Amino acid sequence: MFPSLAAQRPWHVFRRVSLQHRSSLSQRPPRFPQLCHGKQTFTLRSSVLSLKNAGVIWLLEFNFPHAVRAVLKKREYGAKYTQNNFITAVRAMNEFCLKPSDLEQLRKIRRRSPHDDTEAFTVFLRSDVEAKALDVWGSHEALARERNLRKEVERQYQESKFYFLLTPRSGQRTTFLQGPGKVVMVAICINGLNFFFKLLAWVYTGSASMFSEAIHSLADTCNQALLALGISQSVRNPDAVHPYGFSNMRYIASLISGVGIFMMGAGLSWYHGIMGLLHPEPIESLLWAYCILAGSLVSEGATLLVAINEIKKSARQQGLSFYEYVMQSRDPSTNVVLLEDAAAVLGVILAAGCMGLTSLTGNPTYDSLGSLGVGTLLGAVSAFLIYTNTEALLGRSIQAERVQKLTEFLENDPAVRAIHDVKATDMGLSKVRFKAEVDFDGRVVTRSYLEKQDIDQILNDIQQVKTPEELENFMLKHGENIIDTLGAEVDRLEKELKQRNPEVRHVDLEIL
C-alpha cells in the first residue's frame, strides 16, 4: 500500500495494529536510546510515523546507524572556582591584612613574571589566603573592620602631608645642572636682574616703552620660575595614582606660562601703551634707559644663545631639524626660554628704536607705540606656547616613519600574524607609549611550547588517555601551559621592542 516506504532501507518490519487493541501513547513506557560516546548503532522503537488509512495505523519499527559526538558537559564556573586563582604576597597582605609570617606556612607556587626585569615569582592560592585571614582575624566582620580602619588611617595620613613633597624623586640634584634645567635657571637669574634695572629706569624716565620692558622681564622671570617648578615635578617617580609618571608637568607649566605671558606681559603692555596715547606725558632724559637697554640686550642675547645651543643638541640627538624640534615642542621648557628671550631681544630693539624717535622728535606717541609693539610681540609668543603645549597635552602621535619602524619590527616576528590598531603617543621628554593589537600565529606559539617539552613523555601521556575525563585533564594541563607560552611571547616582544627603541618606555600589546 505504501511502496515508497517499503523501498526504504533499513526499515524491515511492518506491523499492522488494530486501533481497538492499540494502547494510548501516554500508557506506553518510554523507550529512547541511551546516549553514548563514539559511533554506535541502536534501534529506535517508537511511533515514528502514523498514517491513518481505513481505521488502522501503520507503526514502523526499524534500525539505522547514527553517529553521536562525545560532548563534555558544560561547566559552570562560580565563586568557588575563582577562589583558586593566584594572588601575590603584596596583595595578600594588603587585601587580607596579613603579615609576612602569616604567609610562610601557605602553599607556594612559582609563576612566570609579567615584568621584563624579574624572574619567576611566588604566588599563593586565593582560597588558602582567605582561610588564613579568617584564622587570623576570626570572622569576616573582624576582617572588614580591620580593612576599614587601615583605609581611614591611610586617608588621614595623606591629608596631613603635602603628597608631592613625600613622593620620591629621581635626579633632583642634577636636574638644574644640565639640559633644560640649566637653561631655565640661567634665564631666571638674568631676567630677574633685568627686571630690577628696567624698573629703576622706568621710575627715573617715566617711559612707557621702558615700563613695558620691565613688565616683560618680570613676566619672563615668573614664568621661568614656573617652568623650574614644572621641571622639578616632571622627574618624580611614577606611583599608584600616576602609573605613567609626571613628564607632562613640563607641558602644563609651559601652558600656564603662555597664559601668564599673555595676561601679565601683553595685557599690561597694551594697557600702558593705550594710556600713553590717551594721556601723553613728557619724558625725562633717556640716557640711563639706553644704557640699561644695552645691558639687557647683551644679557638676553646670552640667554638666547644658551637656549639655541641646547635645542640644537637635543634636535641632533633625535634626528630632527631645529625648526621641527621647536614646532613640535619636544622640550617645552627650553622652547619657552627660547621664545621669551627671542621676544625680549626684539622687544629691546623695538623699545630702543621708539625711544630714539621720541628723543629726536619730542613726541611721546612713538614711545607709546613701542609699548603696544612689545605687547603684540608678547601676545604672539603666548599664543604659540598655548597652541603647541595644548597639542602635546592632547596626546599627539609620533612621526609616521617611527610608527612604521615599530610596526615592521613586530610584523617581521614569526609568532605575529598581523598587527592592528597601532597607536604610538608622545608622552614628552622623549618618552613614547606604544599600543597595538597583535594577532598571534597559534601554530608558532604551540611549536615554541613543544620545543621545550619531552615529546616522548607527551606521546606516552596521549596513549594513556582512554576516557573523556582523562582527555579533559590532558588538554587542560597543556592548554594552560600554552597560554603561559603566549604570555611569554608577549613579554619577549615588549622587551625586544624597548631594547631596540630606547625612547619607547611603555608597551601595551593586546592579544586578538
Side-chain angles (χ1 to χ4, degrees):
M1 180 176 297
F2 299 98
S4 61
L5 293 177
Q8 298 295 325
R9 297 296 183 187
W11 299 337
H12 63 283
V13 179
F14 291 88
R15 278 191 293 173
R16 185 174 183 179
V17 182
S18 173
L19 283 174
Q20 290 80 3
H21 297 90
R22 179 177 63 86
S23 60
S24 62
L25 292 176
S26 61
Q27 296 175 351
R28 297 185 182 185
R31 303 176 66 182
F32 298 102
Q34 297 295 327
L35 291 177
C36 56
H37 302 287
K39 294 185 178 180
Q40 301 287 343
T41 301
F42 56 87
T43 302
L44 178 62
R45 299 176 181 271
S46 64
S47 54
V48 179
L49 181 61
S50 304
L51 298 175
K52 293 185 179 180
N53 185 14
V56 298
I57 291 182
W58 289 89
L59 298 179
L60 307 178
E61 183 183 46
F62 54 91
N63 298 332
F64 66 94
H66 186 72
V68 178
R69 291 189 305 169
V71 180
L72 290 176
K73 181 180 178 181
K74 184 178 181 180
R75 178 171 297 177
E76 298 293 337
Y77 297 100
K80 183 177 179 181
Y81 186 85
T82 57
Q83 287 179 351
N84 290 325
N85 288 352
F86 299 132
I87 184 173
T88 61
V90 175
R91 287 189 58 195
M93 290 187 289
N94 291 337
E95 296 182 15
F96 295 93
C97 306
L98 297 176
K99 297 181 293 184
S101 58
D102 297 330
L103 304 176
E104 292 179 355
Q105 303 301 324
L106 301 182
R107 289 178 291 178
K108 300 178 179 63
I109 302 172
R110 299 287 291 176
R111 299 295 296 171
R112 175 185 60 84
S113 173
H115 305 291
D116 301 336
D117 54 351
T118 56
E119 300 296 331
F121 63 102
T122 302
V123 295
F124 303 89
L125 290 176
R126 189 179 184 89
S127 57
D128 292 348
V129 174
E130 290 182 351
K132 185 64 178 179
L134 291 179
D135 181 53
V136 171
W137 296 106
S139 64
H140 290 284
E141 292 76 12
L143 177 60
R145 287 195 300 269
E146 180 64 21
R147 286 173 176 170
N148 294 333
L149 178 61
R150 295 191 180 189
K151 289 181 180 179
E152 181 65 20
V153 172
E154 182 180 1
R155 184 186 64 81
Q156 293 177 357
Y157 176 76
Q158 295 293 344
E159 291 179 352
S160 63
K161 300 291 183 180
F162 291 102
Y163 184 69
F164 68 92
L165 294 177
L166 297 177
T167 305
R169 302 179 185 180
S170 60
Q172 280 184 322
R173 295 181 179 179
T174 60
T175 299
F176 296 104
L177 299 179
Q178 59 185 0
K182 182 183 69 174
V183 175
V184 170
M185 293 305 297
V186 171
I188 290 176
C189 296
I190 291 178
N191 283 314
L193 292 175
N194 287 338
F195 165 70
F196 178 74
F197 289 113
K198 288 178 181 178
L199 185 64
L200 291 179
W202 170 69
V203 172
Y204 179 74
T205 63
S207 169
S209 296
M210 185 56 65
F211 174 80
S212 297
E213 277 301 304
I215 292 300
H216 185 177
S217 296
L218 176 62
D220 289 349
T221 304
C222 295
N223 290 326
Q224 285 154 7
L226 182 62
L227 291 178
L229 177 62
I231 291 175
S232 66
Q233 294 294 304
S234 66
V235 298
R236 289 167 56 185
N237 294 329
D239 55 25
V241 181
H242 306 90
Y244 291 105
F246 299 84
S247 59
N248 280 340
M249 280 300 299
R250 295 196 183 191
Y251 293 107
I252 295 174
S254 300
L255 177 62
I256 299 175
S257 177
V259 176
I261 292 173
F262 182 80
M263 297 296 295
M264 187 166 60
L268 288 178
S269 296
W270 283 333
Y271 170 77
H272 206 73
I274 293 174
M275 294 301 294
L277 291 175
L278 297 178
H279 308 285
E281 296 180 359
I283 299 177
E284 303 293 337
S285 174
L286 298 176
L287 177 61
W288 286 105
Y290 290 137
C291 294
I292 292 175
L293 285 179
S296 177
L297 181 64
V298 173
S299 60
E300 296 284 4
T303 309
L304 179 62
L305 290 178
V306 173
I308 291 175
N309 290 332
E310 180 63 28
I311 290 180
K312 285 183 177 179
K313 178 182 176 181
S314 301
R316 186 166 53 252
Q317 291 175 350
Q318 298 189 22
L320 299 174
S321 65
F322 183 88
Y323 176 78
E324 291 174 339
Y325 190 90
V326 173
M327 293 303 295
Q328 295 176 13
S329 189
R330 294 293 175 179
D331 187 350
S333 303
T334 308
N335 276 3
V336 171
V337 175
L338 171 71
L339 295 176
E340 286 183 345
D341 288 341
V345 170
L346 294 177
V348 168
I349 296 175
L350 181 61
C354 292
M355 289 169 59
L357 291 175
T358 300
S359 298
L360 293 175
T361 63
N363 186 358
T365 302
Y366 294 108
D367 186 60
S368 299
L369 292 176
S371 179
L372 292 176
V374 172
T376 303
L377 187 63
L378 292 176
V381 171
S382 65
F384 177 79
L385 292 176
I386 292 173
Y387 172 76
T388 55
N389 287 284
T390 301
E391 286 291 311
L393 289 173
L394 288 176
R396 62 191 173 193
S397 177
I398 63 176
Q399 294 174 324
E401 296 79 7
R402 298 172 66 191
V403 176
Q404 182 65 24
K405 177 183 175 183
L406 298 175
T407 304
E408 289 179 352
F409 167 76
L410 293 177
E411 290 178 335
N412 291 332
D413 192 276
V416 177
R417 181 180 290 138
I419 301 293
H420 305 281
D421 193 23
V422 177
K423 294 183 177 67
T425 307
D426 185 1
M427 300 177 59
L429 301 182
S430 302
K431 297 180 181 178
V432 175
R433 179 184 178 186
F434 181 81
K435 176 262 178 186
E437 295 179 355
V438 183
D439 183 6
F440 282 91
D441 191 334
R443 298 167 299 179
V444 175
V445 175
T446 305
R447 188 175 293 110
S448 176
Y449 166 71
L450 292 176
E451 289 174 353
K452 303 174 184 178
Q453 305 302 315
D454 186 350
I455 300 300
D456 293 335
Q457 181 62 40
I458 294 179
L459 291 175
N460 183 58
D461 292 343
I462 294 176
Q463 293 174 358
Q464 300 299 324
V465 173
K466 303 298 182 183
T467 64
E469 290 75 15
E470 294 176 350
L471 176 63
E472 179 184 9
N473 293 332
F474 176 83
M475 295 299 297
L476 290 177
K477 172 187 174 182
H478 292 282
E480 183 178 10
N481 293 337
I482 291 176
I483 293 300
D484 288 342
T485 303
L486 178 59
E489 289 293 320
V490 173
D491 292 343
R492 177 184 63 82
L493 289 175
E494 292 180 349
K495 184 176 181 179
E496 292 181 0
L497 193 65
K498 292 179 181 179
Q499 289 178 344
R500 293 173 178 265
N501 305 273
E503 73 277 7
V504 179
R505 301 295 182 89
H506 304 280
V507 181
D508 301 320
L509 299 182
E510 301 179 3
I511 302 173
L512 288 180

Short mmCIF file of all heavy atoms in Angstrom, two decimals, residues 246-288:
data_model
loop_
_atom_site.label_atom_id
_atom_site.label_comp_id
_atom_site.label_asym_id
_atom_site.label_seq_id
_atom_site.Cartn_x
_atom_site.Cartn_y
_atom_site.Cartn_z
N PHE A 246 55.12 61.71 35.62
CA PHE A 246 54.71 63.12 35.67
C PHE A 246 55.39 63.95 34.58
O PHE A 246 55.56 65.16 34.73
CB PHE A 246 55.05 63.71 37.03
CG PHE A 246 54.36 63.03 38.19
CD1 PHE A 246 54.89 61.88 38.74
CD2 PHE A 246 53.19 63.54 38.71
CE1 PHE A 246 54.27 61.25 39.80
CE2 PHE A 246 52.56 62.92 39.77
CZ PHE A 246 53.09 61.77 40.31
N SER A 247 55.79 63.31 33.50
CA SER A 247 56.53 64.04 32.45
C SER A 247 55.70 65.16 31.84
O SER A 247 56.25 66.16 31.35
CB SER A 247 56.98 63.07 31.37
OG SER A 247 55.88 62.40 30.79
N ASN A 248 54.38 65.05 31.85
CA ASN A 248 53.53 66.10 31.27
C ASN A 248 53.51 67.37 32.10
O ASN A 248 52.94 68.38 31.66
CB ASN A 248 52.10 65.58 31.10
CG ASN A 248 51.95 64.74 29.86
OD1 ASN A 248 52.76 64.81 28.94
ND2 ASN A 248 50.91 63.93 29.81
N MET A 249 54.11 67.34 33.30
CA MET A 249 54.13 68.55 34.11
C MET A 249 54.88 69.68 33.40
O MET A 249 54.58 70.86 33.60
CB MET A 249 54.79 68.26 35.46
CG MET A 249 53.88 67.60 36.47
SD MET A 249 52.43 68.60 36.87
CE MET A 249 53.20 70.08 37.53
N ARG A 250 55.83 69.35 32.56
CA ARG A 250 56.54 70.40 31.81
C ARG A 250 55.60 71.08 30.83
O ARG A 250 55.66 72.31 30.64
CB ARG A 250 57.73 69.80 31.08
CG ARG A 250 58.80 69.25 32.02
CD ARG A 250 60.11 69.03 31.31
NE ARG A 250 61.10 68.43 32.19
CZ ARG A 250 62.39 68.30 31.90
NH1 ARG A 250 62.83 68.73 30.73
NH2 ARG A 250 63.23 67.75 32.75
N TYR A 251 54.76 70.29 30.17
CA TYR A 251 53.79 70.89 29.25
C TYR A 251 52.76 71.73 29.99
O TYR A 251 52.35 72.79 29.51
CB TYR A 251 53.09 69.80 28.44
CG TYR A 251 54.00 69.07 27.48
CD1 TYR A 251 54.42 67.77 27.73
CD2 TYR A 251 54.45 69.69 26.33
CE1 TYR A 251 55.25 67.10 26.86
CE2 TYR A 251 55.30 69.03 25.44
CZ TYR A 251 55.69 67.73 25.72
OH TYR A 251 56.52 67.07 24.85
N ILE A 252 52.34 71.24 31.16
CA ILE A 252 51.36 72.00 31.94
C ILE A 252 51.96 73.33 32.39
O ILE A 252 51.32 74.39 32.30
CB ILE A 252 50.90 71.17 33.15
CG1 ILE A 252 50.14 69.93 32.66
CG2 ILE A 252 50.02 71.99 34.07
CD1 ILE A 252 49.76 68.96 33.77
N ALA A 253 53.20 73.28 32.90
CA ALA A 253 53.86 74.52 33.33
C ALA A 253 54.06 75.47 32.16
O ALA A 253 53.88 76.70 32.30
CB ALA A 253 55.20 74.18 33.99
N SER A 254 54.43 74.94 31.00
CA SER A 254 54.62 75.80 29.83
C SER A 254 53.30 76.40 29.37
O SER A 254 53.26 77.56 28.92
CB SER A 254 55.25 74.99 28.69
OG SER A 254 56.51 74.48 29.08
N LEU A 255 52.22 75.63 29.46
CA LEU A 255 50.91 76.16 29.08
C LEU A 255 50.50 77.30 30.01
O LEU A 255 50.04 78.36 29.55
CB LEU A 255 49.87 75.03 29.13
CG LEU A 255 48.43 75.42 28.83
CD1 LEU A 255 48.30 75.96 27.41
CD2 LEU A 255 47.49 74.23 29.02
N ILE A 256 50.68 77.10 31.32
CA ILE A 256 50.36 78.16 32.27
C ILE A 256 51.27 79.37 32.03
O ILE A 256 50.84 80.53 32.15
CB ILE A 256 50.50 77.65 33.71
CG1 ILE A 256 49.51 76.50 33.95
CG2 ILE A 256 50.24 78.76 34.71
CD1 ILE A 256 49.66 75.84 35.30
N SER A 257 52.52 79.10 31.68
CA SER A 257 53.45 80.19 31.39
C SER A 257 52.98 81.01 30.19
O SER A 257 53.05 82.25 30.20
CB SER A 257 54.85 79.62 31.12
OG SER A 257 55.74 80.64 30.75
N GLY A 258 52.49 80.32 29.16
CA GLY A 258 51.96 81.04 28.00
C GLY A 258 50.78 81.92 28.36
O GLY A 258 50.68 83.07 27.90
N VAL A 259 49.90 81.40 29.20
CA VAL A 259 48.76 82.21 29.64
C VAL A 259 49.24 83.40 30.47
O VAL A 259 48.72 84.52 30.35
CB VAL A 259 47.78 81.34 30.45
CG1 VAL A 259 46.64 82.18 31.01
CG2 VAL A 259 47.22 80.23 29.58
N GLY A 260 50.27 83.16 31.32
CA GLY A 260 50.81 84.26 32.13
C GLY A 260 51.44 85.35 31.28
O GLY A 260 51.29 86.54 31.57
N ILE A 261 52.16 84.97 30.24
CA ILE A 261 52.76 85.96 29.34
C ILE A 261 51.67 86.81 28.68
O ILE A 261 51.79 88.03 28.56
CB ILE A 261 53.61 85.26 28.26
CG1 ILE A 261 54.85 84.62 28.90
CG2 ILE A 261 54.05 86.24 27.18
CD1 ILE A 261 55.65 83.78 27.92
N PHE A 262 50.60 86.16 28.29
CA PHE A 262 49.52 86.90 27.63
C PHE A 262 48.84 87.87 28.59
O PHE A 262 48.59 89.03 28.25
CB PHE A 262 48.50 85.92 27.06
CG PHE A 262 47.38 86.57 26.33
CD1 PHE A 262 47.54 86.99 25.01
CD2 PHE A 262 46.15 86.79 26.94
CE1 PHE A 262 46.51 87.61 24.33
CE2 PHE A 262 45.11 87.40 26.27
CZ PHE A 262 45.30 87.82 24.95
N MET A 263 48.53 87.38 29.81
CA MET A 263 47.77 88.21 30.74
C MET A 263 48.64 89.32 31.33
O MET A 263 48.24 90.49 31.33
CB MET A 263 47.21 87.33 31.86
CG MET A 263 46.23 86.27 31.37
SD MET A 263 44.74 87.00 30.66
CE MET A 263 44.05 87.79 32.09
N MET A 264 49.81 88.93 31.85
CA MET A 264 50.63 89.91 32.58
C MET A 264 51.54 90.70 31.65
O MET A 264 51.70 91.93 31.82
CB MET A 264 51.47 89.19 33.64
CG MET A 264 52.21 90.14 34.56
SD MET A 264 52.86 89.32 36.04
CE MET A 264 53.94 88.11 35.31
N GLY A 265 52.13 90.04 30.68
CA GLY A 265 53.05 90.73 29.78
C GLY A 265 52.35 91.55 28.72
O GLY A 265 52.45 92.78 28.67
N ALA A 266 51.61 90.83 27.86
CA ALA A 266 50.93 91.53 26.76
C ALA A 266 49.85 92.47 27.28
O ALA A 266 49.71 93.61 26.79
CB ALA A 266 50.35 90.50 25.80
N GLY A 267 49.08 92.01 28.26
CA GLY A 267 47.97 92.83 28.75
C GLY A 267 48.43 94.15 29.34
O GLY A 267 47.90 95.21 28.99
N LEU A 268 49.42 94.10 30.24
CA LEU A 268 49.91 95.35 30.86
C LEU A 268 50.61 96.25 29.85
O LEU A 268 50.51 97.49 29.93
CB LEU A 268 50.85 95.01 32.01
CG LEU A 268 50.18 94.43 33.27
CD1 LEU A 268 51.22 94.09 34.32
CD2 LEU A 268 49.15 95.41 33.84
N SER A 269 51.33 95.66 28.89
CA SER A 269 51.99 96.48 27.87
C SER A 269 50.97 97.20 27.02
O SER A 269 51.13 98.41 26.72
CB SER A 269 52.89 95.60 27.00
OG SER A 269 53.93 95.03 27.77
N TRP A 270 49.93 96.51 26.61
CA TRP A 270 48.87 97.17 25.82
C TRP A 270 48.19 98.28 26.64
O TRP A 270 47.90 99.36 26.13
CB TRP A 270 47.84 96.15 25.38
CG TRP A 270 48.29 95.30 24.23
CD1 TRP A 270 49.19 95.63 23.26
CD2 TRP A 270 47.90 93.96 23.96
NE1 TRP A 270 49.37 94.60 22.39
CE2 TRP A 270 48.58 93.54 22.78
CE3 TRP A 270 47.04 93.05 24.56
CZ2 TRP A 270 48.42 92.29 22.23
CZ3 TRP A 270 46.87 91.80 24.01
CH2 TRP A 270 47.56 91.42 22.86
N TYR A 271 47.94 97.96 27.90
CA TYR A 271 47.25 98.95 28.75
C TYR A 271 48.09 100.22 28.88
O TYR A 271 47.60 101.35 28.73
CB TYR A 271 46.98 98.34 30.12
CG TYR A 271 46.50 99.33 31.14
CD1 TYR A 271 45.18 99.79 31.14
CD2 TYR A 271 47.38 99.85 32.10
CE1 TYR A 271 44.75 100.71 32.07
CE2 TYR A 271 46.96 100.78 33.04
CZ TYR A 271 45.64 101.20 33.02
OH TYR A 271 45.21 102.12 33.93
N HIS A 272 49.39 100.04 29.16
CA HIS A 272 50.24 101.21 29.35
C HIS A 272 50.43 101.97 28.04
O HIS A 272 50.49 103.22 28.03
CB HIS A 272 51.60 100.77 29.90
CG HIS A 272 52.29 101.83 30.69
ND1 HIS A 272 51.89 102.21 31.96
CD2 HIS A 272 53.36 102.62 30.38
CE1 HIS A 272 52.68 103.17 32.40
NE2 HIS A 272 53.59 103.45 31.46
N GLY A 273 50.50 101.26 26.92
CA GLY A 273 50.62 101.95 25.64
C GLY A 273 49.39 102.73 25.30
O GLY A 273 49.48 103.88 24.81
N ILE A 274 48.21 102.16 25.54
CA ILE A 274 46.97 102.88 25.25
C ILE A 274 46.82 104.10 26.15
O ILE A 274 46.41 105.20 25.70
CB ILE A 274 45.77 101.93 25.41
CG1 ILE A 274 45.81 100.84 24.33
CG2 ILE A 274 44.46 102.69 25.34
CD1 ILE A 274 44.76 99.76 24.50
N MET A 275 47.17 103.94 27.43
CA MET A 275 47.09 105.09 28.33
C MET A 275 48.08 106.18 27.91
O MET A 275 47.78 107.39 28.04
CB MET A 275 47.39 104.64 29.76
CG MET A 275 46.33 103.70 30.34
SD MET A 275 44.69 104.46 30.37
CE MET A 275 44.94 105.78 31.54
N GLY A 276 49.25 105.78 27.37
CA GLY A 276 50.21 106.79 26.89
C GLY A 276 49.69 107.53 25.68
O GLY A 276 49.96 108.73 25.51
N LEU A 277 48.92 106.86 24.81
CA LEU A 277 48.34 107.54 23.65
C LEU A 277 47.21 108.47 24.08
O LEU A 277 47.05 109.56 23.50
CB LEU A 277 47.81 106.51 22.66
CG LEU A 277 48.85 105.66 21.92
CD1 LEU A 277 48.16 104.60 21.05
CD2 LEU A 277 49.76 106.54 21.06
N LEU A 278 46.44 108.05 25.07
CA LEU A 278 45.31 108.88 25.52
C LEU A 278 45.78 110.03 26.37
O LEU A 278 45.20 111.14 26.31
CB LEU A 278 44.30 108.02 26.28
CG LEU A 278 43.61 106.90 25.47
CD1 LEU A 278 42.68 106.09 26.37
CD2 LEU A 278 42.83 107.49 24.30
N HIS A 279 46.79 109.82 27.16
CA HIS A 279 47.27 110.87 28.08
C HIS A 279 48.79 110.98 27.96
O HIS A 279 49.53 110.52 28.85
CB HIS A 279 46.87 110.55 29.53
CG HIS A 279 45.41 110.26 29.70
ND1 HIS A 279 44.45 111.25 29.67
CD2 HIS A 279 44.74 109.08 29.87
CE1 HIS A 279 43.25 110.71 29.84
NE2 HIS A 279 43.40 109.39 29.97
N PRO A 280 49.29 111.55 26.88
CA PRO A 280 50.75 111.65 26.69
C PRO A 280 51.39 112.56 27.74
O PRO A 280 50.83 113.57 28.14
CB PRO A 280 50.88 112.25 25.28
CG PRO A 280 49.59 112.94 25.04
CD PRO A 280 48.54 112.18 25.79
N GLU A 281 52.57 112.16 28.20
CA GLU A 281 53.32 112.92 29.19
C GLU A 281 54.75 113.08 28.70
O GLU A 281 55.28 112.20 28.01
CB GLU A 281 53.31 112.20 30.55
CG GLU A 281 51.93 112.07 31.17
CD GLU A 281 51.98 111.36 32.51
OE1 GLU A 281 53.11 110.97 32.92
OE2 GLU A 281 50.92 111.21 33.15
N PRO A 282 55.37 114.17 29.05
CA PRO A 282 56.77 114.38 28.62
C PRO A 282 57.70 113.37 29.28
O PRO A 282 57.48 112.94 30.41
CB PRO A 282 57.07 115.82 29.08
CG PRO A 282 56.10 116.08 30.20
CD PRO A 282 54.86 115.32 29.84
N ILE A 283 58.76 113.03 28.58
CA ILE A 283 59.70 112.02 29.05
C ILE A 283 61.00 112.70 29.43
O ILE A 283 61.48 113.62 28.74
CB ILE A 283 59.95 110.97 27.95
CG1 ILE A 283 58.65 110.26 27.60
CG2 ILE A 283 60.99 109.96 28.40
CD1 ILE A 283 58.78 109.27 26.48
N GLU A 284 61.56 112.26 30.58
CA GLU A 284 62.82 112.81 31.05
C GLU A 284 63.97 112.26 30.20
O GLU A 284 63.77 111.55 29.22
CB GLU A 284 63.01 112.46 32.53
CG GLU A 284 61.88 112.94 33.42
CD GLU A 284 61.82 114.46 33.49
OE1 GLU A 284 62.86 115.11 33.24
OE2 GLU A 284 60.72 115.00 33.76
N SER A 285 65.18 112.56 30.62
CA SER A 285 66.37 112.11 29.91
C SER A 285 66.38 110.59 29.80
O SER A 285 66.12 109.88 30.77
CB SER A 285 67.62 112.59 30.65
OG SER A 285 68.78 112.04 30.04
N LEU A 286 66.67 110.10 28.59
CA LEU A 286 66.63 108.67 28.32
C LEU A 286 68.02 108.04 28.30
O LEU A 286 68.17 106.89 27.88
CB LEU A 286 65.94 108.41 26.97
CG LEU A 286 64.48 108.87 26.86
CD1 LEU A 286 63.96 108.64 25.45
CD2 LEU A 286 63.62 108.13 27.87
N LEU A 287 69.03 108.76 28.78
CA LEU A 287 70.39 108.22 28.72
C LEU A 287 70.53 106.94 29.54
O LEU A 287 71.06 105.93 29.04
CB LEU A 287 71.38 109.28 29.21
CG LEU A 287 72.85 108.82 29.27
CD1 LEU A 287 73.33 108.45 27.87
CD2 LEU A 287 73.72 109.94 29.89
N TRP A 288 70.04 106.99 30.77
CA TRP A 288 70.13 105.80 31.60
C TRP A 288 69.28 104.66 31.04
O TRP A 288 69.65 103.48 31.15
CB TRP A 288 69.69 106.11 33.04
CG TRP A 288 70.71 106.90 33.79
CD1 TRP A 288 70.66 108.22 34.11
CD2 TRP A 288 71.94 106.41 34.30
NE1 TRP A 288 71.79 108.62 34.79
CE2 TRP A 288 72.60 107.49 34.93
CE3 TRP A 288 72.58 105.16 34.28
CZ2 TRP A 288 73.83 107.37 35.54
CZ3 TRP A 288 73.81 105.05 34.90
CH2 TRP A 288 74.43 106.12 35.51
#
